[in-house]
Amino acid sequence: MATGSSVNPFNLSDSEEEAERRPDRVDNQRGSRDGPAGQLSGPLSPQADSEPTGLLSSNRTSPSVEGVSVAAAAAAGGGGAEVRVPLDVIAAQLLRDQYVLTALEFHTELLEAGRELPRLRDYFSNPGNFERQSGTPPACKDQGFGQSGQLNRAGSISTLDSLDFARYSDDGNRETDEHVAVLEFELRKAKETIQSLRANLTRAAESEVPSQERKNYKSSPEIQEAIRPLEKRALNFLVNEYLLKNNYKLSAITFSDENDDQDYELWDDVGLNIPKPPDLLQLYRSCGSHQTASREAVDAAVGVKLGELEVLATTKEALHTAEQTQQNVVVKDLEYQINLLNSEKHLLAEQIKKLQGEIDSLKIKNLTAPSFASESGKPVSDQVPHPVPIDNGQYLDITGPDAVSRTAQRDHIPNSIGTNANTHSDLPTAETLSAHLTKLKNQASQNKASVQFDQPNRKLSPAFHQALLSFCRMSADSRLGSEVSRIADSEESVTLMLGRCLPHIVPNVLLAKREELIPLILCTACLHPEPKERDQLLHILFNLIKRPDDEQRQMILTGCVAFARHVGATRVEAELLPQCWEQITHKYPERRLLVAESCGALAPYLPKEIRSSLVLSMLQQMLTEDKADMVREAVVKSLGIIMGYIDDPDKYTQGFELMLMALGDPSERVISAIHQVFVPAFAAWTTELGSLQSQLIPTLLSRIEKLLRKGEHILDEHKLHIYLSALQSLIPALFAVVIQNAPFTNIAKLHGEVLPIEVTRFPRPASPLQDVATIIGSREQLAVLLQLYDYQLEHEGTTGWDSLLWVVNQLLPQLIEIVGRINVASTTCVHEFSRFFWRLCRTFGKIFTNTKVKPQFQEILRLSEENIDATAGNGILTKATVPIYATGVLTCYNQEEDRKLLIGFLEDVMTTLSLSHAPLDSLKASFVELGANPAYHELLLTVLWYGVVHTSALVRCTAARMFELLVKGVNETLVAQRVVPALITLSSDPEISVRIATIPAFGTIMETVTQKELLERVKMQLASFLEDPQYQDQHSLQMEIIKTFGRVGPNAEPRFRDEFVLPHLHKLALGNNTQTVESKRQDIAMQLFEAYSALSCCFISEDLMVTHFMPGLRCLRTDMEHLSPEHEVILSSMIKECEQKVENKTVQEPQGSMSIAASLVSEDTKTKFLNKMGQLTTSGAMLANVFQRKK
C-alpha cells in the first residue's frame, strides 16, 4: 500500500447523492456541554493533504478515532512509506459516520486555507440535511443503533423559539424558508469562526511571556510578573461583577466605560475554553487556605506527546482507559472527602448534645429561681440577660426565659457550625467547642451577677410561676411589640433597631419638626451594615420634607457633608449620588434646589472622575432644562465649586461653554451668581492651566470682534454684554497672575511692618472670590506685592515681565481697536466698555494707568483738525473711543491733576469737532455718561463755560447745544446759578446761529424746572425771540421754536402751555398762510403739524380750544390743502373732533365744567387719535375715515 489509491481505509460504497439524501443529524451532546451547536472546543489545524498524520496532531478529542488509527497503521505497515489520503475521502467518511461537527470544522478550515471541497460545500449548503426526520440513517442501521442511534439536531439550531412552523405548512413559501435557514447557518458558522479565533488569541496570550522570563519570575518571587492580556480581561470581568453585586452601579458604569473593549455580559469574551473562577469574595476567603491534593491526578485528555501518537493510534481502548482512570481518581478523592465530612459530622453531633445539655441545665436553674412581685405588689419577671446574636447584633430579650434557650439553640450553635463548615481546616474541634461553651457560661454568670433581684422564699413549681406571670399584659407578637421586647445592648444592635424603626417613625412626625430626625437618620445610615437599609434611609432623608425651606435644606446639606466625611468617597458615590439623580426632575423646585446644592456641597468628597463626569453632566442638564431661577442659581454656584476641584484639562471647553450659557440666562439672580462664583473659580482653574492669558481672554476678545464684524448695522448688544461682563470679572484674576509672575515675586517676604492697603485701592469686588487679596492668599502678602509692583513700574520697568508685557502689548491695543469700532450712538455699549476700562485701570493702579494706558489712547486721539475727516465724519474723534477714554480712563482717579486732564481733554474735543464741522455724537455721549454722576456736573459746566466764552462762533454754538443734555440731570440751584446765565449770555450773541442753538436748552428748562423766577426769565427770553422784529423773517429760528414747543409742550407747566405756547403756535400758523416761499411754508407747516399732534393729547380748556387751538388747526389745514392733501384729511378730522368736544361741553355742562361723559368722550378721542397716527397712507379715501367714530 504505497499509494493512496491502493489503500481504502473507508467504506466508500455510498455515493455523494446518497450522502445528500441521508437524513443526517447534528450531535447535540457537545452543544449541551460546550455551548450552542457549532461552537467547537478547539480549532483543527489546517494541514496539507500530503501529511495525513497532521490530522492526528490535534489535541481535540473526537468522538471516534478508528479511521485515523487505520490510516496510521497503514502508514506504519508500509515500511514508513508516506500514505496520502485524499481530503474528499476523509470528508465522505466523516459525513457517513455522522461526525457532522468534525466535518463542519474540517470544512471551515479548508475554506480558510482556500481549498474548498464540493462535497462539504453541497452538504452544508442544503438545509434539508438538518431537518428533523423520523428515519434512521443507514450508517446507524448498519451499526445496530436503530432509532436510539439517531443523530439529533442541536438545541441551538432548532428550538421552540427558533423553529419556524410555517416551513412545514402546506401554504408556506419553502424557498424563502430555506434561504432563511441557510442564512442562519452562515451566521452560526461566522460565530464559530469568531470563537475559534478567540481561542487562538487566548492561547497566544497565555504564551506571550517568554519562557526565560517565567523562569526568572519563579526563581525570584519578589519580581512582579507583568500582567497578561488574558489575566487582565479576567480580572476586569471579576471586578465588574463584584461592583454590580454590591450595588456600586456608578463605579461599575465608570469602570466599564474605561475598559470599553470588553463585553462584561459574557464570560466567553474573556477567552474561549477558559473556566470561570469564583467571584472576588470567594477568592478572598479562600486565599491562603488552598490545600494541595495528596495524590496526583493525571489528565489523560491533554498533554499527549508526539511520541505517544502510535500508542494512541493503535487502539481506541487506550482513550477509554485514560478517561476511566481519571474518573476513578476523582471518585476516590470525593469518597475520601465524604468520609472525612461524615467523621466530623459525628463529632459535631456529640458536641451539639453536650451544648444542649448545658443549655437545658441553665434553663432549669433560671426557672427554679423566678422573681415575684416586690413589696409594692407589682409583678416583676425574672430574666437572665443572655447575649444573643440577632440581626448581626446583640439584644436582651425580655419575652421570657424560654426565648433565651430557643434563641441560643437556634442562633449560636448553627452559626458557629455553619461559619466553620466551609473548609476542612476550619472545622471546629472539641477543644474549640468547649472553649465556646465556657465563654457562654462566663457571659451568663456575668450578666446574672450584674442584675440581681430579691428571691422570694417560696416553693412554687416553675409551671405555676409561668402561668401566674402570663396574666401580665405583655405583647410581643406585633412589630412594635417585638422591637420593645428586645433591648439593644451594643452599638451595632442600636443601629439595626433604628434602621427598622425609622421608616415607621418618620411618616408620623409633623412636617415642621422632621428636621429633628436628620441626625438619627444620618447616624443610622452611616453605621448600618446593610446596603439596602442604608439606601432606604438616605431616600427618607432626601424625601423627609415635602418642600424644604432654606434652613431645612441647610440642615440636610450639613448632614450630607458629615455623612460624606465619615464614610468616604466610595460610599458617597454609591449611596448619596443616586439619591440626587432620582430627584433631578422632581416637580417641586425646592427639592431640585436641594439636589443642586448637594452637588456643590459634596464635590470635595467625591472621586475626581465622578466630579468631572457625572456630577458635571447632572448640573449641566439642570442648567439647561430647569425653569426655576433659584434652581439655576444654585446650579451655577455648584458648578463654580466643581470648577474649584476639577483637574481634568479636557473639561476646559465644557466649562467655557457653561460659562457663556449661564451668562446668557435671562434671570438676574443667575447672572449675579455666575459673576460671584463661577467665573472666579473658572479663572482660577485656567490660571493653573496657564491658559488665562493664552486662551480664555483671547477667546472672549475674538468673539467680541466677530460680533462687531457681523453687526456693523445691527449689533447684538446682549451678546456683547455677555462677553464684556465675563472679561470684566476676569480682571482680578488677570492682575493676580501679573503680580504673582513678576520679577520681584521671589523676594516678596513678610518682614517688619507692612503698609496697609488703601480702602479705595481696588474696586469693590462682587464677591470674596473676586477680591485680589483672597486670590493671592492674604492682605498682608498682597500689600507686600503691591509695594514691589509700584516700585518696579516706576523705577525698573517691565523688562522680563512677560505677563505684564502681554497686557501692555497685546490686550490693550486689541481693546482700543475694538472700542474704535463701536457705534457711538449705542449708549449701552459705551457704558459697558467705560465700566470695563475703569475697573481695569483701578485694579492695575495709577502708575500703570498713567504710564501704560493713557499713552496708548493719546497716541490714537491726536487732537488736531487734521485728525478729523469733515466730509466723511469717520475720524477717530467721532468714534466711541472719545467717551470711553474720557469716562473709563480719565475718571479712574479724582485728584486735581486728573480733573484738569479730563477738563482739558473735553475742551479740546469740543473745539476740534466744532472747528472741523464734525458730528458731535462722541462729545454728546461723553456728556451723557459723565452727566449721570452728579460729581461731574461742576466739571462739565466748567467745560461748557469755556465754550461760551470761546472766540469761535462754532464752539459757542456747540456749547449751547450741550446745555440741553446737561440741564435734565443738574439740580435747580446749578441751573439758576450757572446754566441760565450762560444761556442768556449766548442768547445775546452776535451770531444768530448761536442764539438759535440756545432755544432747545431753554425749552428743556421749561420742561424740568419748577422755580417761577427761572421760568419767567426763560419765558421772557423766548418771547423776545418771537416778538422781536429782527427775528420775524428768521426761518431757522421759527423752525427751532416750533420744534421745541412740540417737544416740551406736553410736559411743561400747564400755565406756560396755555398762556405762551398755544397762542404763539396760532400766531405762527396764521403767519405761515402768507408765506410766499413754498419751501419755507412747507417746512413750517410740517413742524406745526407735529407740534399740534403732540399738544392734542393734552387737556385744553374750552376757551383756549375756541380761541387758539382750533383756529391754529384751521390755518394749518389751509396750508396743507395746497402742500399735503393727506395731512389735510387728518387735520379736518382733528378739527371735527375738537368741535364735537366743544359741543358736548356746551350741551351737558352749561357752566363750563366737563361732565363724566364728556371726559370719557375726550379720552376716547385722544386714544383713537394716538392709535391712528401711525396708520397714515397715501390713500386719501382711507385717511378721510381715520378719525370717524364707529356708529
Side-chain angles (χ1 to χ4, degrees):
M1 294 185 293
T3 63
S5 57
S6 60
V7 179
N8 186 9
F10 305 109
N11 185 3
L12 302 179
S13 61
D14 295 330
S15 64
E16 293 183 14
E17 291 77 6
E18 293 174 345
E20 293 177 1
R21 290 192 300 269
R22 187 177 296 115
D24 299 321
R25 296 291 184 269
V26 179
D27 188 3
N28 61 357
Q29 295 178 358
R30 288 173 55 94
S32 62
R33 182 177 68 253
D34 296 321
Q39 180 177 326
L40 306 179
S41 60
L44 186 65
S45 302
Q47 301 289 340
D49 57 343
S50 59
E51 295 188 48
T53 56
L55 289 169
L56 305 177
S57 64
S58 173
N59 59 2
R60 180 171 107 48
T61 305
S62 59
S64 174
V65 293
E66 290 179 352
V68 179
S69 301
V70 173
E82 189 173 90
V83 180
R84 297 173 61 89
V85 180
L87 298 179
D88 188 67
V89 174
I90 299 175
Q93 185 62 26
L94 290 175
L95 295 177
R96 171 185 172 84
D97 292 341
Q98 292 296 298
Y99 297 145
V100 181
L101 292 179
T102 306
L104 177 60
E105 185 176 0
F106 187 38
H107 175 55
T108 303
E109 293 185 347
L110 289 176
L111 283 177
E112 293 175 353
R115 307 180 64 181
E116 184 180 23
L117 286 179
R119 179 187 298 274
L120 294 177
R121 179 195 62 203
D122 296 341
Y123 180 82
F124 289 110
S125 298
N126 184 7
N129 293 328
F130 304 96
E131 300 294 343
R132 291 189 179 273
Q133 299 178 10
S134 59
T136 304
C140 298
K141 293 180 180 179
D142 296 341
Q143 296 173 7
F145 290 118
Q147 185 67 23
S148 61
Q150 179 179 348
L151 183 63
N152 294 325
R153 185 179 180 181
S156 63
I157 298 176
S158 177
T159 63
L160 287 176
D161 294 330
S162 63
L163 189 61
D164 188 0
F165 291 100
R167 300 181 63 173
Y168 307 103
S169 62
D170 296 334
D171 55 349
N173 191 341
R174 184 174 181 83
E175 294 181 359
T176 303
D177 295 337
E178 290 178 354
H179 182 64
V180 171
V182 171
L183 293 177
E184 290 178 352
F185 169 76
E186 292 177 352
L187 177 61
R188 290 193 298 273
K189 187 166 63 174
K191 290 182 178 179
E192 292 165 4
T193 304
I194 292 172
Q195 295 289 0
S196 176
L197 292 174
R198 188 176 295 152
N200 291 335
L201 289 174
T202 302
R203 286 194 292 273
E206 290 176 339
S207 59
E208 197 173 55
V209 181
S211 58
Q212 183 61 37
E213 293 185 13
R214 292 179 182 172
K215 293 179 180 179
N216 294 337
Y217 293 142
K218 293 179 180 179
S219 60
S220 302
E222 67 275 3
I223 300 178
Q224 180 65 41
E225 183 178 357
I227 187 170
R228 303 172 185 171
L230 174 63
E231 294 171 341
K232 180 180 179 181
R233 295 172 69 86
L235 288 175
N236 287 348
F237 187 91
L238 295 176
V239 169
N240 183 75
E241 184 183 45
Y242 168 77
L243 293 175
L244 291 176
K245 283 184 178 180
N246 291 274
N247 289 326
Y248 298 124
K249 298 179 182 179
L250 297 178
S251 299
I253 294 172
T254 305
F255 183 78
S256 60
D257 289 342
E258 292 177 349
N259 301 274
D260 55 357
D261 58 341
Q262 186 172 345
D263 182 7
Y264 293 99
E265 299 292 333
L266 183 64
W267 168 257
D268 287 340
D269 185 69
V270 174
L272 196 63
N273 291 339
I274 302 300
K276 181 181 176 182
D279 56 20
L280 287 181
L281 181 60
Q282 295 298 326
L283 290 176
Y284 173 75
R285 288 176 174 173
S286 60
C287 178
S289 61
H290 294 289
Q291 295 181 351
T292 305
S294 57
R295 304 164 197 163
E296 294 184 358
V298 179
D299 189 355
V302 296
V304 181
K305 298 181 180 179
L306 292 176
E308 299 173 354
L309 286 176
E310 294 181 2
V311 178
L312 184 64
T314 54
T315 176
K316 180 179 178 180
E317 286 73 15
L319 178 61
H320 294 293
T321 303
E323 292 177 354
Q324 189 66 33
T325 303
Q326 182 181 5
Q327 292 175 0
N328 292 336
V329 170
V330 173
V331 169
K332 290 181 179 179
D333 187 59
L334 291 176
E335 290 176 351
Y336 171 78
Q337 295 181 15
I338 291 172
N339 294 331
L340 183 61
L341 290 175
N342 286 332
S343 61
E344 292 179 351
K345 175 184 174 183
H346 295 301
L347 176 63
L348 290 175
E350 294 175 1
Q351 298 298 331
I352 289 173
K353 290 180 181 180
K354 291 181 181 179
L355 289 174
Q356 188 64 44
E358 294 291 340
I359 292 171
D360 292 337
S361 63
L362 289 174
K363 177 180 176 181
I364 293 172
K365 289 180 182 179
N366 291 335
L367 291 176
T368 55
S371 63
F372 286 96
S374 62
E375 294 179 2
S376 61
K378 294 181 180 179
V380 180
S381 61
D382 184 24
Q383 52 185 304
V384 179
H386 191 78
V388 182
I390 300 175
D391 294 334
N392 296 327
Q394 291 182 342
Y395 292 87
L396 297 179
D397 199 327
I398 64 172
T399 56
D402 292 337
V404 177
S405 60
R406 288 195 303 269
T407 306
Q409 181 179 356
R410 182 180 68 249
D411 292 336
H412 269 287
I413 299 171
N415 284 346
S416 62
I417 296 172
T419 303
N420 297 323
N422 293 328
T423 57
H424 308 309
S425 58
D426 295 334
L427 289 173
T429 60
E431 293 80 2
T432 306
L433 293 175
S434 299
H436 186 66
L437 180 61
T438 304
K439 183 178 179 182
L440 290 178
K441 290 180 179 179
N442 294 335
Q443 290 178 350
S445 61
Q446 289 175 4
N447 289 331
K448 287 192 67 177
S450 61
V451 181
Q452 296 292 335
F453 299 98
D454 293 337
Q455 302 297 330
N457 190 14
R458 300 291 299 276
K459 297 182 179 179
L460 298 178
S461 66
F464 186 83
H465 272 290
Q466 195 71 21
L468 185 62
L469 292 177
S470 65
F471 286 94
C472 297
R473 297 181 61 84
M474 295 184 296
S475 174
D477 298 334
S478 64
R479 179 195 61 81
L480 185 58
S482 175
E483 295 293 347
V484 172
S485 65
R486 294 184 296 176
I487 298 177
D489 65 345
S490 68
E491 294 83 352
E492 185 178 4
S493 57
V494 172
T495 302
L496 294 169
M497 181 270 293
L498 288 174
R500 292 191 301 269
C501 294
L502 278 174
H504 302 280
I505 296 173
V506 171
N508 299 302
V509 179
L510 292 176
L511 287 174
K513 296 296 182 180
R514 285 190 180 178
E515 63 267 21
E516 300 293 338
L517 294 172
I518 294 176
L520 281 177
I521 296 173
L522 284 169
C523 290
T524 308
C526 283
L527 301 175
H528 205 286
E530 295 296 329
K532 291 184 179 179
E533 294 294 331
R534 297 198 300 265
D535 183 73
Q536 182 184 6
L537 289 168
L538 293 176
H539 181 76
I540 292 174
L541 175 66
F542 274 83
N543 294 273
L544 188 64
I545 303 169
K546 187 176 182 180
R547 307 182 76 162
D549 56 24
D550 290 341
E551 185 176 355
Q552 291 167 338
R553 287 197 307 274
Q554 290 177 10
M555 289 299 103
I556 295 175
L557 289 177
T558 304
C560 289
V561 171
F563 178 88
R565 290 175 177 171
H566 183 80
V567 302
T570 303
R571 280 183 60 182
V572 173
E573 173 193 352
E575 298 175 12
L576 271 183
L577 275 188
Q579 301 298 333
C580 295
W581 183 262
E582 288 179 2
Q583 309 230 359
I584 196 173
T585 56
H586 200 278
K587 65 178 180 178
Y588 293 129
E590 291 84 359
R591 300 281 278 277
R592 304 196 302 273
L593 181 59
L594 177 62
V595 172
E597 293 173 341
S598 299
C599 290
L602 295 175
Y605 312 102
L606 289 169
K608 61 181 181 179
E609 297 84 2
I610 297 299
R611 273 199 301 262
S612 59
S613 58
L614 179 62
V615 178
L616 194 62
S617 300
M618 289 171 58
L619 292 173
Q620 183 176 4
Q621 178 182 344
M622 296 182 72
L623 180 63
T624 306
E625 300 177 357
D626 207 292
K627 297 180 180 179
D629 294 350
M630 61 179 181
V631 176
R632 298 198 306 276
E633 178 188 11
V635 166
V636 166
K637 292 180 180 179
S638 295
L639 281 172
I641 298 173
I642 293 293
M643 290 299 148
Y645 285 90
I646 199 169
D647 56 2
D648 184 4
D650 296 335
K651 298 296 180 180
Y652 167 82
T653 303
Q654 186 177 0
F656 180 77
E657 295 300 330
L658 284 173
M659 180 183 71
L660 296 183
M661 182 192 306
L663 285 171
D665 196 278
S667 172
E668 288 296 329
R669 298 177 60 174
V670 179
I671 299 298
S672 176
I674 194 75
H675 289 297
Q676 291 178 2
V677 184
F678 185 89
V679 175
F682 187 65
W685 183 37
T686 54
T687 300
E688 294 181 15
L689 295 176
S691 57
L692 179 66
Q693 293 179 316
S694 62
Q695 191 168 1
L696 180 55
I697 295 179
T699 303
L700 290 172
L701 290 175
S702 64
R703 295 206 174 198
I704 292 176
E705 290 179 337
K706 184 178 180 181
L707 199 63
L708 293 174
R709 284 195 300 269
K710 288 183 177 180
E712 292 180 355
H713 303 290
I714 301 177
L715 179 63
D716 190 346
E717 294 184 356
H718 178 65
K719 282 190 176 181
L720 181 63
H721 169 73
I722 290 175
Y723 299 145
L724 201 56
S725 62
L727 277 176
Q728 186 170 322
S729 296
L730 292 174
I731 291 175
L734 178 61
F735 182 69
V737 170
V738 169
I739 61 176
Q740 285 179 322
N741 293 275
F744 52 77
T745 304
N746 296 330
I747 62 173
K749 305 296 181 182
L750 290 173
H751 54 81
E753 293 187 3
V754 180
L755 294 178
I757 303 173
E758 295 181 6
V759 178
T760 59
R761 170 61 181 83
F762 293 101
R764 178 176 296 178
S767 74
L769 296 177
Q770 288 195 2
D771 190 351
V772 181
T774 304
I775 300 174
I776 295 298
S778 66
R779 291 193 70 84
E780 293 77 12
Q781 183 68 22
L782 177 60
V784 173
L785 291 173
L786 284 178
Q787 291 181 8
L788 297 172
Y789 169 78
D790 293 338
Y791 181 83
Q792 181 84 14
L793 282 179
E794 192 172 4
H795 298 93
E796 299 183 8
T798 59
T799 304
W801 199 345
D802 295 336
S803 56
L804 186 64
L805 287 174
W806 178 86
V807 176
V808 175
N809 298 330
Q810 297 186 40
L811 179 62
L812 283 177
Q814 192 172 2
L815 285 170
I816 294 173
E817 181 185 358
I818 290 174
V819 164
R821 296 163 59 182
I822 295 176
N823 184 7
V824 70
S826 176
T827 56
T828 304
C829 295
V830 171
H831 177 75
E832 291 284 343
F833 273 98
S834 298
R835 293 300 89 196
F836 173 79
F837 272 98
W838 186 87
R839 264 188 107 75
L840 180 70
C841 295
R842 285 301 300 267
T843 303
F844 277 79
K846 187 172 184 179
I847 298 175
F848 178 84
T849 303
N850 293 334
T851 60
K852 305 299 178 185
V853 180
K854 290 180 180 178
Q856 294 200 31
F857 273 98
Q858 292 168 358
E859 177 66 23
I860 295 176
L861 297 171
R862 292 186 299 272
L863 298 176
S864 62
E865 296 185 25
E866 297 82 31
N867 200 27
I868 297 297
D869 189 348
T871 58
N874 59 357
I876 190 65
L877 289 183
T878 64
K879 303 296 183 182
T881 310
V882 170
I884 290 173
Y885 175 58
T887 61
V889 178
L890 297 181
T891 61
C892 287
Y893 300 95
N894 203 23
Q895 296 180 1
E896 188 62 29
E897 61 270 15
D898 302 309
R899 297 176 67 87
K900 287 182 179 179
L901 183 61
L902 176 59
I903 292 173
F905 174 73
L906 292 176
E907 291 174 351
D908 292 342
V909 170
M910 182 171 61
T911 303
T912 306
L913 291 177
S914 302
L915 297 178
S916 303
H917 299 277
L920 302 177
D921 294 335
S922 60
L923 185 63
K924 291 180 180 180
S926 303
F927 269 73
V928 170
E929 188 71 21
L930 291 172
N933 188 352
Y936 294 104
H937 287 172
E938 286 278 0
L939 184 146
L940 294 176
L941 289 173
T942 303
V943 174
L944 291 181
W945 184 253
Y946 166 82
V948 170
V949 298
H950 200 276
T951 57
S952 172
L954 295 173
V955 178
R956 296 197 301 273
C957 186
T958 300
R961 295 191 178 279
M962 291 297 108
F963 274 112
E964 178 188 358
L965 301 174
L966 193 60
V967 168
K968 290 186 178 181
V970 176
N971 61 64
E972 293 189 4
T973 303
L974 281 178
V975 172
Q977 296 176 356
R978 303 285 299 272
V979 177
V980 173
L983 288 174
I984 292 178
T985 301
L986 292 173
S987 65
S988 59
D989 194 271
E991 290 292 333
I992 186 65
S993 61
V994 177
R995 283 176 272 172
I996 295 173
T998 61
I999 294 174
F1002 281 124
T1004 305
I1005 293 175
M1006 295 297 296
E1007 186 180 12
T1008 57
V1009 175
T1010 59
Q1011 293 183 17
K1012 293 184 178 180
E1013 296 80 4
L1014 286 178
L1015 293 177
E1016 288 298 327
R1017 293 177 66 182
V1018 172
K1019 183 179 176 181
M1020 291 174 58
Q1021 185 61 48
L1022 291 175
S1024 68
F1025 287 143
L1026 290 169
E1027 298 172 1
D1028 195 332
Q1030 64 176 330
Y1031 300 122
Q1032 294 299 320
D1033 296 330
Q1034 290 294 330
H1035 177 73
S1036 58
L1037 184 142
Q1038 294 176 357
M1039 290 280 294
E1040 195 67 48
I1041 287 181
I1042 297 172
K1043 183 179 179 181
T1044 301
F1045 282 172
R1047 177 172 58 87
V1048 304
N1051 302 319
E1053 188 183 17
R1055 183 182 172 188
F1056 171 74
R1057 181 176 64 242
D1058 296 342
E1059 298 179 358
F1060 189 80
V1061 174
L1062 290 176
H1064 282 93
L1065 282 178
H1066 178 202
K1067 187 176 180 180
L1068 289 170
L1070 185 61
N1072 197 48
N1073 292 149
T1074 61
Q1075 177 63 254
T1076 57
V1077 181
E1078 192 74 16
S1079 60
K1080 292 183 178 181
R1081 185 180 181 184
Q1082 184 172 4
D1083 292 341
I1084 295 293
M1086 295 303 297
Q1087 286 297 333
L1088 285 171
F1089 179 82
E1090 296 294 335
Y1092 274 109
S1093 299
L1095 291 170
S1096 64
C1097 298
C1098 303
F1099 175 79
I1100 302 173
S1101 65
E1102 181 182 352
D1103 294 338
L1104 287 174
M1105 186 77 70
V1106 174
T1107 57
H1108 292 298
F1109 193 78
M1110 290 172 59
L1113 287 177
R1114 292 190 182 101
C1115 293
L1116 183 59
R1117 183 176 62 179
T1118 303
D1119 290 334
M1120 290 299 183
E1121 289 176 355
H1122 303 285
L1123 302 174
S1124 178
E1126 296 85 358
H1127 291 83
E1128 186 269 336
V1129 174
I1130 298 175
L1131 289 171
S1132 299
S1133 299
M1134 292 174 65
I1135 294 171
K1136 186 176 180 181
E1137 291 287 338
C1138 293
E1139 291 174 348
Q1140 289 179 354
K1141 280 201 284 187
V1142 173
E1143 291 175 2
N1144 290 334
K1145 291 178 183 179
T1146 304
V1147 172
Q1148 297 178 11
E1149 293 291 336
Q1151 292 81 9
S1153 61
M1154 292 182 64
S1155 66
I1156 298 177
S1159 175
L1160 292 175
V1161 171
S1162 176
E1163 291 299 323
D1164 180 59
T1165 303
K1166 290 186 228 176
T1167 305
K1168 188 185 301 182
F1169 174 76
L1170 290 176
N1171 291 336
K1172 298 297 184 181
M1173 280 299 295
Q1175 302 178 6
L1176 296 179
T1177 62
T1178 56
S1179 173
M1182 294 180 64
L1183 290 172
N1185 299 321
V1186 169
F1187 293 98
Q1188 289 185 357
R1189 278 183 175 276
K1190 292 183 179 179
K1191 301 298 183 181

